[in-house]
Amino acid sequence: MAELAGVSVRTLHHYDEISLVKPSARTAAGYRAYSAGDVERLREVLVYRRLGFGLREITALVDDPATDAVAHQRRMRGLLREQRDRTAAMVAAIDKELESRVMGIRTTPEDQLKVVGAQLYESIGSAYPATRRTEPRIAARIWEALGDARTVLNVGAGTGSYEPADRKVTAVEPSALMRAQRPADAAPCVASAEQLPFPDQSFDAAMAVSTVHHWPDPVAGLREMRRVARRVVVFTYDAGTTGWLERFWLTRDYLPEFAGLLAGWPSLADMTRAIEGRAEPVLNPWDCADGFFEAHWRRPEAYLDEQVRRAVSVWTRAGRQAEQRAVDSLRADLSSGRWAERNRDLVALDAAELGLRLLVA
């Protein structure tokens, strides 16, 4: 067992002594014998341990009677994805510093320290004001879905682009950088998004815009929204339909790594069930004002702009090598006319169906 788990026998003995992982039986010779359930519990303990949790915290997590095996796996997967995103952001920051040093430019102490504390939004959030703003046609759909709600909880609120100005809004945003960029007259904002610190049905509506893919456990988060609000509105993306990767030329021809970023992500049906609602397609206008990943589908030159890419988490998560290859290939195809030939049908479209969805309950 110790060999398979990659820990020492002494560690297993310690887990037994503190009742963290107690083997179900002993052999006649006195050896510890682990059942399938014991192995599953040990796996959970080791994942949480390698994520940096202390033993007391882990005990509370694995003993939580409200969390079954599937919920544990979703939580662990979410935490591991979050750790991966932080690592990707740190790698991107180090790559940037390396480029500067090779050119003889020394980075400031402040920039050097940002690397060790980098989180995904902390690394990309500074680019948001230039390229991420409210798209009025999408905003109209969201605000219409909110109905007559007067009190609104905005979960994963970012800089508050889509918050309705005519309602009382409370925002949840874990990123300090994003909170700092909220306008002075924006809604009051609480920092924790892990568990919503509000009583049941305390808001008329809860909304989330382009944020669910960053949550450690999307389904649990959506259920929390349903718990605290009588109405739920979520702007998200459908990655479950057959051939979804082929919808957008950027993922089809230049960045196939996008598929891996959403591997294991809950299906649209799972997310819809979590809020007990329905899913509605949202067309992406060709001149979309908000610079999210799919926004420039008819303006391919925009993806050559470093500032545009830095405000979209997909590029950071895909990694510097994949990003550079995609950009170089796109630049070459735009220069040669290959992109225009491949995508000539797009020119006549005012809006495109690229998987954007509005979940409403």
Side-chain angles (χ1 to χ4, degrees), residues 92-105 107 306 320 324:
I94 290 172
D95 283 346
K96 187 175 181 180
E97 182 176 350
L98 280 171
E99 290 173 4
S100 297
R101 286 180 179 265
V102 167
M103 292 187 291
I105 303 171
T107 54
E306 173 81 13
R320 192 77 172 187
Q324 194 61 56

Side-chain angles (χ1 to χ4, degrees), residues 42 66 287:
L42 176 61
D287 55 348

Side-chain angles (χ1 to χ4, degrees), residues 132-146:
R132 301 299 297 270
R133 55 185 69 90
T134 303
E135 163 49 54
R137 286 155 291 192
I138 294 176
R141 291 283 303 275
I142 294 170
W143 296 342
E144 180 183 8
L146 291 173

Side-chain angles (χ1 to χ4, degrees), residues 310-330:
R310 289 288 68 78
V312 178
S313 63
V314 168
W315 296 103
T316 298
R317 293 174 61 193
R320 192 77 172 187
Q321 185 175 356
E323 177 182 0
Q324 194 61 56
R325 187 208 65 242
V327 171
D328 289 346
S329 297
L330 176 58

